[in-house]
Amino acid sequence: MGSFAGGGLPPDDVVVTALRAGDEAMFAALLDTWSGGLLRVARSYVSTDHSAEEVVQDTWLALIGGIDSFEGRSSVKTWVYRILVNIAKKRGVRESRTLPWSAFEGDGGGSAVPGPVPPGGWKEVPAAWPTPEGEALASEVRGVIAEALDGLPPRQRTVITLRDVEGWSSDDVCEVLEISAANQRVLLHRARAAVRGRLADYFESVKPPE
Amino acid sequence: MKRFTCDELVEVITAYLDHALDQRACDGVRRHLACCEGCERYFEQFRATIGVLGDPPPEKLRADVQDRLMSAFRERRQA
Ligand SMILES: [Zn+2]
Protein backbone atom coordinates (compact mmCIF):
# COMPACT_ATOMS: atom_id res chain seq x y z
CA MET A 1 0.00 0.00 0.00
CA GLY A 2 1.50 3.32 -1.05
CA SER A 3 1.29 6.61 0.73
CA PHE A 4 -1.78 8.81 0.53
CA ALA A 5 0.01 12.07 0.99
CA GLY A 6 -1.79 14.84 -0.80
CA GLY A 7 -4.42 12.58 -2.30
CA GLY A 8 -6.51 11.99 0.81
CA LEU A 9 -7.79 8.56 1.73
CA PRO A 10 -9.00 6.02 -0.84
CA PRO A 11 -12.71 5.06 -1.02
CA ASP A 12 -14.26 3.33 1.98
CA ASP A 13 -14.39 -0.17 0.50
CA VAL A 14 -10.65 -0.01 -0.14
CA VAL A 15 -10.02 1.26 3.39
CA VAL A 16 -12.18 -1.43 5.00
CA THR A 17 -10.67 -4.25 2.96
CA ALA A 18 -7.15 -3.07 3.79
CA LEU A 19 -7.88 -2.76 7.51
CA ARG A 20 -9.42 -6.21 7.62
CA ALA A 21 -6.33 -7.58 5.89
CA GLY A 22 -4.13 -6.00 8.55
CA ASP A 23 -2.62 -3.33 6.30
CA GLU A 24 -0.54 -1.24 8.69
CA ALA A 25 0.11 1.56 6.22
CA MET A 26 -3.62 2.07 5.86
CA PHE A 27 -4.16 2.15 9.60
CA ALA A 28 -1.28 4.60 9.98
CA ALA A 29 -2.79 6.80 7.26
CA LEU A 30 -6.14 6.87 9.06
CA LEU A 31 -4.46 7.70 12.36
CA ASP A 32 -2.62 10.50 10.69
CA THR A 33 -5.60 11.93 8.84
CA TRP A 34 -8.29 11.74 11.50
CA SER A 35 -6.63 11.95 14.91
CA GLY A 36 -6.40 15.75 14.89
CA GLY A 37 -10.11 16.18 14.25
CA LEU A 38 -10.98 13.46 16.74
CA LEU A 39 -8.95 15.22 19.43
CA ARG A 40 -10.65 18.53 18.70
CA VAL A 41 -14.10 17.01 18.96
CA ALA A 42 -13.19 15.05 22.09
CA ARG A 43 -12.29 18.35 23.76
CA SER A 44 -15.93 19.43 23.46
CA TYR A 45 -16.82 16.79 26.02
CA VAL A 46 -13.89 16.27 28.34
CA SER A 47 -11.89 18.68 30.38
CA THR A 48 -8.22 17.83 29.91
CA ASP A 49 -5.80 17.07 27.09
CA HIS A 50 -5.09 13.77 28.76
CA SER A 51 -8.76 12.75 28.78
CA ALA A 52 -9.16 13.81 25.17
CA GLU A 53 -6.19 11.68 24.22
CA GLU A 54 -7.61 8.68 26.03
CA VAL A 55 -10.97 9.12 24.36
CA VAL A 56 -9.28 9.17 20.96
CA GLN A 57 -7.17 6.15 21.86
CA ASP A 58 -10.25 4.21 22.97
CA THR A 59 -11.98 5.19 19.74
CA TRP A 60 -9.17 3.74 17.65
CA LEU A 61 -9.16 0.58 19.78
CA ALA A 62 -12.91 0.28 19.14
CA LEU A 63 -12.26 0.60 15.41
CA ILE A 64 -9.61 -2.12 15.55
CA GLY A 65 -12.04 -4.38 17.41
CA GLY A 66 -15.07 -3.51 15.30
CA ILE A 67 -13.84 -3.26 11.72
CA ASP A 68 -14.77 -6.87 10.96
CA SER A 69 -18.39 -6.22 11.84
CA PHE A 70 -18.60 -2.79 10.18
CA GLU A 71 -21.61 -3.00 7.89
CA GLY A 72 -21.05 0.04 5.75
CA ARG A 73 -24.38 1.65 6.55
CA SER A 74 -22.54 4.91 7.09
CA SER A 75 -19.15 6.08 5.90
CA VAL A 76 -16.15 4.89 7.88
CA LYS A 77 -15.52 8.47 8.94
CA THR A 78 -18.96 9.08 10.42
CA TRP A 79 -18.86 5.64 12.02
CA VAL A 80 -15.56 6.44 13.76
CA TYR A 81 -16.77 9.85 14.89
CA ARG A 82 -19.92 8.33 16.30
CA ILE A 83 -17.86 5.93 18.33
CA LEU A 84 -15.83 8.89 19.54
CA VAL A 85 -18.84 10.97 20.52
CA ASN A 86 -20.34 8.07 22.48
CA ILE A 87 -17.13 7.39 24.36
CA ALA A 88 -16.51 11.08 24.95
CA LYS A 89 -20.05 11.76 26.21
CA LYS A 90 -19.83 8.94 28.75
CA ARG A 91 -16.49 10.16 29.92
CA GLY A 92 -17.59 13.78 30.00
CA VAL A 93 -20.54 12.91 32.20
CA ARG A 94 -18.32 10.87 34.51
CA GLU A 95 -15.96 13.81 34.82
CA SER A 96 -19.06 15.97 35.15
CA ARG A 97 -17.14 18.58 33.26
CA THR A 98 -19.97 21.04 33.33
CA LEU A 99 -23.51 20.01 34.00
CA PRO A 100 -25.72 16.94 33.87
CA TRP A 101 -26.38 15.57 30.41
CA SER A 102 -29.79 17.23 30.27
CA ALA A 103 -27.94 20.52 30.08
CA PHE A 104 -26.06 19.25 27.04
CA GLU A 105 -29.37 18.81 25.31
CA GLY A 106 -30.59 22.22 26.31
CA ASP A 107 -28.23 24.52 24.48
CA GLY A 108 -30.28 24.58 21.29
CA GLY A 109 -33.25 26.17 22.97
CA GLY A 110 -34.51 29.70 23.31
CA SER A 111 -32.31 32.67 22.68
CA ALA A 112 -30.62 33.55 25.97
CA VAL A 113 -28.28 36.34 24.91
CA PRO A 114 -29.30 39.60 23.30
CA GLY A 115 -28.54 39.79 19.58
CA PRO A 116 -25.69 41.87 18.19
CA VAL A 117 -27.92 44.62 16.84
CA PRO A 118 -28.66 47.34 19.41
CA PRO A 119 -32.35 48.13 19.95
CA GLY A 120 -33.44 50.46 17.18
CA GLY A 121 -30.73 49.34 14.75
CA TRP A 122 -27.00 49.91 14.28
CA LYS A 123 -26.01 53.17 15.92
CA GLU A 124 -22.56 52.86 14.51
CA VAL A 125 -21.20 50.41 11.98
CA PRO A 126 -19.18 47.62 13.64
CA ALA A 127 -15.46 48.31 13.31
CA ALA A 128 -13.54 46.80 10.43
CA TRP A 129 -11.17 44.06 11.56
CA PRO A 130 -7.51 44.15 10.70
CA THR A 131 -6.35 41.40 8.39
CA PRO A 132 -4.21 39.16 10.58
CA GLU A 133 -0.71 39.83 9.38
CA GLY A 134 2.39 38.40 10.91
CA GLU A 135 2.73 35.38 13.16
CA ALA A 136 2.26 37.28 16.42
CA LEU A 137 -1.23 38.53 15.62
CA ALA A 138 -2.21 35.24 14.02
CA SER A 139 -1.20 33.31 17.13
CA GLU A 140 -3.04 35.73 19.41
CA VAL A 141 -6.16 35.35 17.30
CA ARG A 142 -5.82 31.59 17.52
CA GLY A 143 -5.62 31.93 21.28
CA VAL A 144 -8.82 33.97 21.34
CA ILE A 145 -10.52 31.35 19.18
CA ALA A 146 -9.37 28.52 21.44
CA GLU A 147 -10.75 30.32 24.49
CA ALA A 148 -13.99 31.11 22.73
CA LEU A 149 -14.43 27.44 21.79
CA ASP A 150 -13.68 26.42 25.38
CA GLY A 151 -16.49 28.65 26.57
CA LEU A 152 -19.15 27.11 24.31
CA PRO A 153 -21.74 24.58 25.47
CA PRO A 154 -20.63 21.10 24.31
CA ARG A 155 -23.13 20.63 21.51
CA GLN A 156 -22.41 24.03 20.00
CA ARG A 157 -18.73 23.36 20.25
CA THR A 158 -19.01 19.96 18.58
CA VAL A 159 -21.04 21.36 15.70
CA ILE A 160 -18.78 24.36 15.05
CA THR A 161 -15.70 22.16 15.33
CA LEU A 162 -16.98 19.70 12.76
CA ARG A 163 -18.41 22.30 10.40
CA ASP A 164 -15.94 25.17 10.51
CA VAL A 165 -12.72 23.72 11.88
CA GLU A 166 -12.89 20.32 10.18
CA GLY A 167 -14.90 21.48 7.17
CA TRP A 168 -17.64 18.83 7.30
CA SER A 169 -20.94 19.06 5.46
CA SER A 170 -24.11 19.71 7.40
CA ASP A 171 -25.43 16.26 6.42
CA ASP A 172 -22.46 14.45 7.93
CA VAL A 173 -22.69 16.48 11.13
CA CYS A 174 -26.39 15.69 11.49
CA GLU A 175 -25.68 12.01 10.97
CA VAL A 176 -22.92 11.82 13.58
CA LEU A 177 -24.80 13.81 16.20
CA GLU A 178 -28.24 12.44 15.28
CA ILE A 179 -29.81 15.88 15.10
CA SER A 180 -32.01 17.59 12.53
CA ALA A 181 -30.64 20.02 9.96
CA ALA A 182 -32.58 22.84 11.59
CA ASN A 183 -31.17 22.07 15.02
CA GLN A 184 -27.69 21.77 13.60
CA ARG A 185 -28.03 25.21 12.05
CA VAL A 186 -29.23 26.81 15.27
CA LEU A 187 -26.30 25.36 17.21
CA LEU A 188 -23.83 26.38 14.52
CA HIS A 189 -25.19 29.89 14.24
CA ARG A 190 -25.10 30.45 17.96
CA ALA A 191 -21.58 29.13 18.21
CA ARG A 192 -20.36 31.32 15.35
CA ALA A 193 -22.06 34.38 16.81
CA ALA A 194 -20.37 33.73 20.17
CA VAL A 195 -16.92 33.28 18.59
CA ARG A 196 -17.42 36.40 16.46
CA GLY A 197 -18.30 38.31 19.62
CA ARG A 198 -15.08 37.21 21.30
CA LEU A 199 -13.03 38.22 18.27
CA ALA A 200 -14.79 41.58 18.13
CA ASP A 201 -13.93 42.18 21.81
CA TYR A 202 -10.34 41.21 21.15
CA PHE A 203 -9.92 43.48 18.11
CA GLU A 204 -11.55 46.29 20.06
CA SER A 205 -9.08 45.80 22.90
CA VAL A 206 -5.99 45.94 20.68
CA LYS A 207 -7.21 48.81 18.53
CA PRO A 208 -4.70 51.66 18.53
CA PRO A 209 -6.14 54.75 20.26
CA GLU A 210 -7.53 57.33 17.87
CA MET B 1 -38.83 39.44 -1.95
CA LYS B 2 -38.76 39.11 1.82
CA ARG B 3 -37.89 42.20 3.88
CA PHE B 4 -35.62 41.75 6.88
CA THR B 5 -35.01 43.98 9.86
CA CYS B 6 -31.39 44.11 11.03
CA ASP B 7 -32.29 41.90 14.02
CA GLU B 8 -33.76 39.28 11.73
CA LEU B 9 -30.98 39.51 9.23
CA VAL B 10 -28.12 38.70 11.61
CA GLU B 11 -30.01 35.57 12.67
CA VAL B 12 -30.29 34.07 9.18
CA ILE B 13 -26.68 34.44 8.07
CA THR B 14 -25.81 30.80 8.72
CA ALA B 15 -28.92 29.64 6.87
CA TYR B 16 -28.04 32.00 4.04
CA LEU B 17 -24.46 30.73 3.81
CA ASP B 18 -25.74 27.13 3.87
CA HIS B 19 -28.14 27.85 0.99
CA ALA B 20 -30.99 26.86 3.26
CA LEU B 21 -33.16 29.92 2.49
CA ASP B 22 -35.75 30.01 -0.26
CA GLN B 23 -35.25 32.32 -3.22
CA ARG B 24 -37.44 35.07 -1.77
CA ALA B 25 -35.51 35.19 1.49
CA CYS B 26 -32.19 34.93 -0.31
CA ASP B 27 -33.00 37.96 -2.43
CA GLY B 28 -34.08 39.78 0.70
CA VAL B 29 -30.77 39.08 2.43
CA ARG B 30 -28.78 40.26 -0.58
CA ARG B 31 -30.84 43.37 -0.90
CA HIS B 32 -30.53 44.21 2.80
CA LEU B 33 -26.76 43.64 2.82
CA ALA B 34 -26.36 45.87 -0.23
CA CYS B 35 -27.92 48.83 1.52
CA CYS B 36 -27.21 48.34 5.26
CA GLU B 37 -23.65 49.10 6.25
CA GLY B 38 -24.01 47.72 9.78
CA CYS B 39 -25.25 44.32 8.67
CA GLU B 40 -22.80 44.22 5.81
CA ARG B 41 -19.91 44.71 8.23
CA TYR B 42 -21.37 42.14 10.62
CA PHE B 43 -21.69 39.69 7.74
CA GLU B 44 -18.04 40.30 6.81
CA GLN B 45 -16.95 39.68 10.39
CA PHE B 46 -19.03 36.52 10.49
CA ARG B 47 -17.31 35.21 7.41
CA ALA B 48 -13.90 36.25 8.71
CA THR B 49 -14.66 34.29 11.89
CA ILE B 50 -15.45 31.19 9.86
CA GLY B 51 -12.22 31.74 7.94
CA VAL B 52 -10.07 31.91 11.07
CA LEU B 53 -11.81 28.86 12.55
CA GLY B 54 -10.84 26.91 9.44
CA ASP B 55 -7.15 27.57 10.00
CA PRO B 56 -6.50 25.87 13.34
CA PRO B 57 -3.13 25.01 14.83
CA PRO B 58 -2.08 21.46 13.94
CA GLU B 59 -3.15 18.78 16.34
CA LYS B 60 -1.53 15.37 16.64
CA LEU B 61 -1.68 12.29 18.83
CA ARG B 62 1.40 11.89 20.99
CA ALA B 63 3.98 9.59 19.45
CA ASP B 64 3.76 7.01 22.24
CA VAL B 65 -0.03 6.81 21.87
CA GLN B 66 0.40 6.31 18.13
CA ASP B 67 2.95 3.56 18.72
CA ARG B 68 0.65 1.84 21.18
CA LEU B 69 -2.20 1.94 18.67
CA MET B 70 0.00 0.60 15.88
CA SER B 71 0.97 -2.36 18.08
CA ALA B 72 -2.66 -2.93 19.06
CA PHE B 73 -3.56 -3.03 15.36
CA ARG B 74 -0.72 -5.44 14.61
CA GLU B 75 -1.57 -7.79 17.48
CA ARG B 76 -5.26 -7.89 16.82
CA ARG B 77 -4.67 -8.70 13.15
CA GLN B 78 -2.35 -11.55 14.02
CA ALA B 79 -4.67 -13.01 16.63
ZN1 LIG C 1 -29.23 45.83 8.64
Side-chain angles (χ1 to χ4, degrees):
Chain A
M1 193 56 66
S3 107
F4 309 108
L9 296 165
D12 269 9
D13 53 337
V14 177
V15 171
V16 171
T17 307
L19 291 177
R20 285 179 179 157
D23 185 328
E24 290 180 35
M26 181 66 80
F27 184 66
L30 285 188
L31 273 185
D32 213 50
T33 312
W34 289 344
S35 290
L38 290 167
L39 278 166
R40 291 189 186 103
V41 173
R43 291 218 174 85
S44 307
Y45 299 92
V46 299
S47 46
T48 65
D49 282 350
H50 179 72
S51 286
E53 224 152 38
E54 285 199 350
V55 165
V56 173
Q57 176 179 294
D58 289 353
T59 301
W60 286 118
L61 291 173
L63 170 128
I64 294 171
I67 192 65
D68 285 334
S69 50
F70 173 70
E71 288 172 350
R73 273 195 242 122
S74 64
S75 68
V76 179
K77 188 177 79 170
T78 53
W79 177 61
V80 170
Y81 271 83
R82 262 169 85 160
I83 296 173
L84 175 98
V85 167
N86 286 326
I87 294 174
K89 266 187 189 177
K90 278 193 202 118
R91 176 138 191 164
V93 170
R94 207 165 63 224
E95 287 178 354
S96 61
R97 169 181 192 242
T98 40
L99 301 155
W101 188 249
S102 56
F104 284 49
E105 308 300 336
D107 53 46
S111 163
V113 282
V117 186
W122 301 106
K123 302 241 168 13
E124 49 187 286
V125 176
W129 289 354
T131 352
E133 273 168 45
E135 272 311 302
L137 180 56
S139 94
E140 276 194 37
V141 168
R142 279 174 167 183
V144 175
I145 295 269
E147 263 181 46
L149 291 175
D150 262 338
L152 292 174
R155 295 205 314 159
Q156 286 185 26
R157 181 172 181 176
T158 310
V159 171
I160 199 174
T161 300
L162 288 172
R163 285 293 307 274
D164 290 345
V165 184
E166 299 298 319
W168 283 36
S169 72
S170 142
D171 286 349
D172 283 353
V173 174
C174 291
E175 192 188 326
V176 164
L177 301 178
E178 299 178 290
I179 56 178
S180 70
N183 193 3
Q184 188 260 167
R185 203 172 305 123
V186 169
L187 292 166
L188 177 61
H189 187 76
R190 240 169 241 169
R192 284 171 170 175
V195 175
R196 189 217 67 93
R198 295 292 288 265
L199 278 175
D201 292 346
Y202 166 73
F203 285 125
E204 181 65 28
S205 75
V206 296
K207 201 174 64 179
E210 279 156 39
Chain B
M1 187 179 69
K2 186 171 163 47
R3 286 184 164 279
F4 289 98
T5 65
C6 295
D7 274 318
E8 291 165 345
L9 190 116
V10 296
E11 290 306 321
V12 298
I13 295 177
T14 292
Y16 175 73
L17 291 173
D18 269 358
H19 308 289
L21 297 179
D22 60 29
Q23 193 56 50
R24 231 179 106 250
C26 232
D27 292 344
V29 169
R30 258 184 236 120
R31 173 70 176 276
H32 186 116
L33 288 177
C35 54
C36 174
E37 228 185 325
C39 286
E40 209 242 324
R41 183 63 58 69
Y42 185 85
F43 181 72
E44 248 173 51
Q45 293 182 348
F46 212 83
R47 279 209 300 203
T49 302
I50 297 168
V52 189
L53 280 163
D55 180 26
E59 182 90 70
K60 253 179 123 45
L61 268 186
R62 287 207 327 263
D64 60 310
V65 178
Q66 283 202 46
D67 291 347
R68 212 175 309 143
L69 287 167
M70 286 309 298
S71 336
F73 182 75
R74 217 170 285 133
E75 278 161 30
R76 154 87 193 180
R77 293 295 116 193
Q78 285 161 0

